[in-house]
Amino acid sequence: MTVLYDLFSWQGLIFEFLIFTFTVLVSRRYFSPLRDIPGPFLASFTRLWHVATIAGGKQSIKMLELHRKHGSFVRIAHNEVSVGHPDGIRKVLLAPNPKSPWYKLMAFPDWRFQSPLSTIEPKAKNERARWLASGFSTTNALRTEQNMDRQISRLKSWIDKYAESGKPMELDKFITYCTFDVLGEVMFSKAFGFLDNGTDIGNTIAWSGMLNMIVTCGGYYRWLLNIFLMNPLITSLTTTPMGYLGDLSQGALQERRDDPTDHPDVVNLWFENHRKHPDRVSFKDMQSANATVIGAGSDTISCATQSFIYHLLRHPEKLKKARAEVEYYRKTEGICYGRVISFADAQRLTYVNACIKEGIRVFTPVQWQLARQAAKGGVTIDGRTFPEGTLMSVNPHVMHRNYEIWGEDADEFRPERWLEEENASREKYFIPWSAGFASCPGQNIARMEMPKLIATLLRDYEFKQVNEGQEWSYEATFGLLPYNWPVYVRKTDLYAT
Ligand code: HEM
């Protein structure tokens, strides 16, 4: 009786808790199948090391550092190994390994709104995405071109103003306003209005960056976020955790539900499918997919656009070559005219497109651990087998800087590499969109928007950093947005009105 009493006393409970914690930590460290995988000591006991690194905003730099130190495998949590081996792409991402449970939190605004992103089993994910996919097809992306042009043209009006005033411009912000407004146009033919106002309305984009950080770290502690942020009560009390972006995009969807007029945009096709097969794609499916897209489809393009300009500013000879290419096509083929360069023209610019790809490779817009769970039978890479259920992640930034794949100059911005013959064999290691069943559905839209936007900026403007040579700042969570590199701007001789 005395022993029982002692066990349930508060001292007893503390003692039991300590014994339990000690046993868990020791078994994670010394009895896990990952016990011999190198990595930070703390990471072998707990997820906290990884979460603290994400919160520090430089997790992708840290991951690259660790892979360069330890090689192909790094243990980044008690139950997760980061894979830097080139075969990781085929064996982890392209194989039908379920996504990590981290993705389950990616239901916005709360758990009632499951999306393809939050669905982790390959078959179920494909099924959920199937009726939404046509909205992102190349054919449909092409229909949205005029919508894109409207906003790129507005961006130009702002840059013109700065060119005239000679004042420094926070180009990073305006590019992001533009990519958000383009996304609104592409999705539901309605811009968010950032370019109309020339400001981050209600600090929405800043909040979206913060939300990105909260959700990225919170994915490992789903219950916590489900209690405090992403639950039906909060959704009904406030508007949505996504604030203005969420309200406007969900409002646009609702408007379209009431007004079935044909529009050249993504939700138009979703509604077509919904009306034909309400059992296959519900209104709620569209709401959740819409929310995911708003989170995924603008910072990424802004990042790629900024990377192009930023890196070419550091390589004036390549900048000259890229602009000369536009000039050449204008003279010889009479293309690349008009206020905004058309996609058909922009895609013909071989060197410019090589620069875009290289900007994405050296500074990948999603520098996140894309994590999967080893499927039945486990996953074998480089002779090492990881048992079923092991979390295995691939970071595109780590892959894109791998010396074994890209050579000793992997860290350098060298667009010419994309034009070399041996590069064809490297294409399969270029994974900005991830790879396999969970890869980015918006890549057709991005592949169309980026060349247009970038070629137009290249043709029309000369940028110069206010503090020449100063490095930009950024925080990497799931995605990343550079900042703090203001520029002076002036129009080039090729400028088109
Ligand atoms: C440079 C531009 C872009 C890059 C680099 C990029 C990259 C990515 C990556 C790496 C993922 C994660 C895949 C994974 O978890 O394994 C993703 C997911 C996603 N992206 Fe993109 N993306 C871009 C643009 C876009 C655009 C323009 C849209 C929409 C119009 C979009 C919509 C999405 C959606 C909805 C998801 C969630 C995928 C799912 O259904 O599971 N993205 N993207």
Side-chain angles (χ1 to χ4, degrees), residues 171 175 302-320 322 351-352 354-365 367 397 401 409-417 454 458 463 465 469-474 480 482 485 487:
L171 186 65
I175 291 178
S302 173
C303 178
T305 308
Q306 291 187 53
S307 182
F308 175 93
I309 300 171
Y310 179 84
H311 285 101
L312 282 186
L313 284 181
R314 276 157 176 68
H315 297 274
E317 74 296 352
K318 298 185 199 301
L319 173 61
K320 214 167 145 194
Y351 188 69
V352 171
C355 293
I356 296 177
K357 264 178 119 171
E358 186 67 348
I360 292 178
R361 187 192 66 80
V362 290
F363 196 74
T364 305
Q367 305 193 357
H397 177 65
R401 296 292 191 95
D409 64 355
D411 293 333
E412 272 172 45
F413 177 84
R414 196 174 64 81
E416 288 71 15
R417 76 177 76 241
I454 290 173
L458 171 73
F463 299 107
Q465 262 185 274
Q470 185 194 305
E471 288 200 17
W472 59 15
S473 311
Y474 64 91
L480 71 168
W485 63 289
V487 293

Side-chain angles (χ1 to χ4, degrees), residues 112-352:
R112 293 168 301 166
F113 296 82
Q114 295 299 322
S115 67
L117 183 61
S118 66
T119 309
I120 64 172
E121 287 298 332
K123 210 166 152 227
K125 192 256 162 187
N126 286 340
E127 196 50 43
R128 209 184 268 281
R130 193 162 147 226
W131 297 96
L132 300 165
S134 53
F136 300 114
S137 67
T138 309
T139 323
N140 202 39
L142 284 168
R143 289 181 73 219
T144 68
E145 182 157 13
Q146 278 187 346
N147 300 21
M148 291 184 183
D149 288 0
R150 267 200 295 275
Q151 299 310 322
I152 298 175
S153 174
R154 282 204 174 124
L155 172 66
K156 278 185 58 168
S157 303
W158 278 105
I159 306 181
D160 290 351
K161 276 191 194 155
Y162 280 93
E164 277 148 31
S165 73
K167 288 186 182 157
M169 177 177 196
E170 290 184 292
L171 186 65
D172 58 305
K173 289 194 176 154
F174 281 89
I175 291 178
T176 306
Y177 298 160
C178 176
T179 54
F180 266 107
D181 279 344
V182 168
L183 188 65
E185 288 270 17
V186 166
M187 287 304 294
F188 33 74
S189 302
K190 190 172 182 173
F192 288 98
F194 294 114
L195 285 174
D196 278 345
N197 287 276
T199 53
D200 178 6
I201 303 167
N203 277 331
T204 308
I205 297 175
W207 166 240
S208 146
M210 179 64 80
L211 193 64
N212 197 330
M213 172 72 84
I214 295 172
V215 171
T216 311
C217 294
Y220 299 107
Y221 307 100
R222 250 189 350 271
W223 56 273
L224 203 64
L225 257 77
N226 282 339
I227 293 174
F228 293 110
L229 186 66
M230 295 163 72
N231 63 55
L233 184 66
I234 301 275
T235 309
S236 65
L237 286 180
T238 65
T239 44
T240 71
M242 290 169 79
Y244 171 71
L245 285 175
D247 297 344
L248 190 134
S249 52
Q250 297 306 346
L253 208 60
Q254 187 61 49
E255 279 167 27
R256 191 62 64 82
R257 188 186 207 180
D258 305 333
D259 165 24
T261 325
D262 201 33
H263 285 79
D265 55 33
V266 172
V267 302
N268 203 66
L269 273 186
W270 290 359
F271 272 103
E272 264 180 30
N273 289 336
H274 169 64
R275 288 188 190 105
K276 276 189 233 154
H277 307 287
D279 51 322
R280 291 176 186 160
V281 54
S282 68
F283 186 63
K284 201 175 251 179
D285 287 335
M286 291 192 276
Q287 285 177 300
S288 55
N290 196 30
T292 316
V293 170
I294 302 309
S298 44
D299 287 0
T300 39
I301 295 190
S302 173
C303 178
T305 308
Q306 291 187 53
S307 182
F308 175 93
I309 300 171
Y310 179 84
H311 285 101
L312 282 186
L313 284 181
R314 276 157 176 68
H315 297 274
E317 74 296 352
K318 298 185 199 301
L319 173 61
K320 214 167 145 194
K321 196 168 157 189
R323 196 169 285 128
E325 183 177 54
V326 179
E327 206 171 353
Y328 170 82
Y329 271 99
R330 279 161 63 111
K331 279 194 188 134
T332 58
E333 310 254 342
I335 64 168
C336 294
Y337 284 90
R339 184 161 167 81
V340 177
I341 296 181
S342 72
F343 171 59
D345 292 356
Q347 66 174 345
R348 295 189 58 193
L349 305 169
T350 316
Y351 188 69
V352 171

